[in-house]
Amino acid sequence: MKGRPPGKGDAPRGRKPATPGKSFGKPSGAPGRARGGAKAATARKGEGGKPASKPPFKSGPKKPAAKPAAAKAAPVVQAAAPKPSAAKGVSLDVRQYRVHADDDGIRLDRWFQRHLPDVGFNIVSRWSRTGQLRVDGARAAPGDRIAEGQMIRVPPAEAKAAPSERPARRVPVIDLTPDEIAYAQEMVIHRDAQAIVINKPPGLATQGGTKTDEHVDRLLDGLIFNAESRPKLVHRLDKDTSGALLLARSSRAAAHFAKAFSSRTARKVYWALVIGVPSIADGMIELPLAKQPGTGGEKMHVDEAEGLPARTRYRVIERAGNRAAWVELQPYTGRTHQLRVHLAAIGHPIVGDGKYGGKDSFLTGTISRKMHLHARRIRVDHPDGGRVDVMADLPAHFASSLADLGFDLSLGDMPLDDEIDRSPTREDEKKFARQHAKQIRKDRKGERRSRGGGG
């Protein structure tokens, strides 16, 4: 019966479209496709003699009907895609940055290290040479100092080289044992969000060097606590000097403290036990210092001709006869070995300082041969307001020597000059009045003598 002509029960050639919801109604969104599907169905009906209900469904499925909508959205996605650079995270726009107070006075290349560490020094230099790097509209160099409020123009970021072409520089990590971490943390006498102060023991260097493997810098990994990075050294103490050593817990704090030390707003107070007793109880030593030739820079000496200015304030706290004196020292400059050289230069070397005092720097009896120089107190403005003001206890050998010489430890902490109340007392006012009255009488007496001589 395959070759039988169509009968009355077959679908007529010109039948009406199916009702909504049927398979024939689905391609209604594309009339052209529906008409094409009907023609194809009629052709197949004439060929095979089967109903045309299925062919229209195959010729107009759901997927082809959705294509026009997808074609409309595609250009939007393609138009946005080419905008970024091929390198991930690279901007094609010039960037503008305002200099904040924390960065006031630093070099421009240092600013990039802090805020755009991905931009290397070579790139900054190239931007500067080509005039792309500008501060407040003017061309700038990497070494220029920037000020708060200025505007830095940064060119578009450049793509980084592939890791295989330029391997990332890794910072070596020093592994500490649990005992070393405990030792480092036992030295801490003050800690806040921006600063740590440790009481450095004598014999421990601040930084490493030739034949120096044990030092504070190596132990800083044990003082991270809850911070993102290890603390930073902002000043130093000699290996044999004990006492308060300040550490910064962030780059911002390090810059703040470094500025405080360079501008001399930070105050440091040392205690020392010296040979003999200075004739002036409260004085200032002003002797320029330079590296001593032939020592490889390991030793300093007084050099009036080529030395750098150095000033040390000292005050005698107590004396043990003429044998020794316990003194307070305040350095107003920060030269290498300044306190040790100054005291030796005025004839009162620090007890135990054989390097500058020779054999005359040691006391007989029970007094230790270790150096007796201790950073007792440090006072510096805090980056977040207020002050860091910390005192460090004496090491055992220093405390024992003071006790053996009969010194009273309660006398040691003398007020700094700016902590002394300078307002006049009632007695001061009376004294000033007496001196004023005495001067008036003296002036009147001189006038009478002058008149008498003229007659």
Side-chain angles (χ1 to χ4, degrees):
M1 298 296 290
K2 288 185 179 179
R4 169 175 78 80
K8 293 181 180 180
D10 296 325
R13 181 179 292 273
R15 70 177 180 177
K16 295 180 181 180
T19 57
K22 302 287 185 178
S23 61
F24 293 104
K26 294 199 176 176
S28 61
R33 290 174 182 265
R35 286 195 296 271
K39 289 180 181 179
T42 305
R44 281 192 291 273
K45 174 190 155 193
E47 293 172 2
K50 290 185 180 180
S53 60
K54 289 187 179 178
F57 181 80
K58 290 183 179 178
S59 63
K62 289 183 181 179
K63 290 183 180 177
K67 280 184 180 177
K72 272 187 177 180
V76 178
V77 177
Q78 290 172 1
K83 191 172 182 180
S85 170
K88 185 178 180 181
V90 174
S91 170
L92 295 179
D93 298 326
V94 172
R95 295 162 288 173
Q96 301 282 347
Y97 296 92
R98 180 79 64 183
V99 178
H100 297 294
D102 294 341
D103 300 319
D104 183 54
I106 67 171
R107 286 167 53 108
L108 186 56
D109 54 355
R110 180 64 176 161
W111 181 90
F112 274 94
Q113 291 178 17
R114 287 187 184 178
H115 302 286
L116 296 175
D118 292 341
V119 180
F121 181 79
N122 291 337
I123 296 177
V124 176
S125 300
R126 183 167 68 255
W127 286 345
S128 173
R129 288 194 304 271
T130 56
Q132 299 180 75
L133 181 61
R134 294 176 177 267
V135 175
D136 282 350
R139 296 180 64 157
D144 291 348
R145 300 279 177 177
I146 57 178
E148 179 184 357
Q150 288 184 321
M151 186 68 73
I152 301 174
R153 176 193 184 275
V154 180
E158 299 180 8
K160 283 187 173 182
S164 58
E165 298 174 11
R166 189 178 66 183
R169 184 175 59 183
R170 294 184 179 180
V171 179
V173 178
I174 301 175
D175 294 328
L176 301 178
T177 66
D179 288 342
E180 288 173 329
I181 294 175
Y183 174 65
Q185 295 184 357
E186 285 173 359
M187 292 190 288
V188 176
I189 55 178
H190 171 84
R191 188 181 90 194
D192 60 48
Q194 300 294 340
I196 289 177
V197 181
I198 65 171
N199 187 357
K200 186 187 84 65
L204 179 65
T206 303
Q207 290 178 298
T210 305
K211 298 181 181 180
T212 304
D213 298 326
E214 297 298 323
H215 47 84
V216 173
D217 193 30
R218 178 180 175 273
L219 298 172
L220 293 183
D221 285 334
L223 300 178
I224 296 177
F225 295 105
N226 58 341
E228 296 181 357
S229 60
R230 70 202 307 257
K232 302 167 180 60
L233 294 167
V234 291
H235 69 118
R236 294 181 56 185
L237 291 177
D238 292 344
K239 179 178 179 180
D240 295 322
T241 302
S242 58
L245 183 67
L246 177 67
L247 309 172
R249 302 192 71 189
S250 66
S251 297
R252 180 172 72 89
H256 173 87
F257 292 138
K259 187 174 182 179
F261 282 109
S262 62
S263 62
R264 309 301 171 194
T265 58
R267 300 297 297 272
K268 293 185 288 184
V269 176
Y270 291 77
W271 282 352
L273 185 62
V274 301
I275 300 293
V277 181
S279 57
I280 300 175
D282 187 341
M284 183 75 74
I285 305 172
E286 297 185 78
L287 295 171
L289 303 179
K291 293 180 179 179
Q292 184 171 316
T295 62
E298 295 295 324
K299 194 173 181 180
M300 307 292 287
H301 73 137
V302 175
D303 189 338
E304 297 283 359
E306 300 181 2
L308 296 174
R311 301 174 66 231
T312 301
R313 164 84 178 277
Y314 74 89
R315 292 189 287 185
V316 176
I317 300 172
E318 201 173 1
R319 56 188 293 173
N322 293 325
R323 186 185 183 194
W326 174 22
V327 298
E328 176 205 86
L329 305 169
Q330 296 179 44
Y332 284 82
T333 52
R335 310 301 175 200
T336 301
H337 298 170
Q338 175 177 316
L339 304 180
R340 299 164 63 182
V341 179
H342 272 177
L343 289 170
I346 64 172
H348 302 284
I350 297 174
V351 173
D353 187 11
K355 186 169 191 173
Y356 291 103
K359 62 181 181 180
D360 295 332
S361 62
F362 300 98
L363 292 174
T364 58
T366 59
I367 305 303
S368 172
R369 294 180 66 85
K370 293 181 180 180
M371 190 162 70
H372 290 66
L373 179 60
H374 177 73
R376 169 61 175 173
R377 179 183 179 187
I378 187 166
R379 192 190 75 180
V380 61
D381 291 338
H382 195 280
D384 297 335
R387 282 176 173 172
V388 177
D389 193 348
V390 183
M391 294 184 182
D393 292 337
L394 286 169
H397 78 277
F398 201 149
S400 177
S401 296
L402 292 183
D404 290 346
L405 292 170
F407 290 128
D408 183 359
L409 286 177
S410 65
L411 302 176
D413 294 313
M414 305 168 70
L416 299 174
D417 289 344
D418 59 359
E419 296 174 336
I420 299 174
D421 185 6
R422 300 294 183 181
S423 58
T425 63
R426 179 64 178 166
E427 186 60 32
D428 292 334
E429 293 175 353
K430 289 181 179 179
K431 184 178 180 180
F432 175 79
R434 287 194 297 268
Q435 290 176 343
H436 182 64
K438 184 178 180 180
Q439 185 63 39
I440 292 176
R441 290 195 299 270
K442 186 176 180 180
D443 294 341
R444 288 177 178 175
K445 186 176 181 180
E447 291 176 1
R448 289 196 296 271
R449 287 181 178 178
S450 176
R451 287 196 297 270

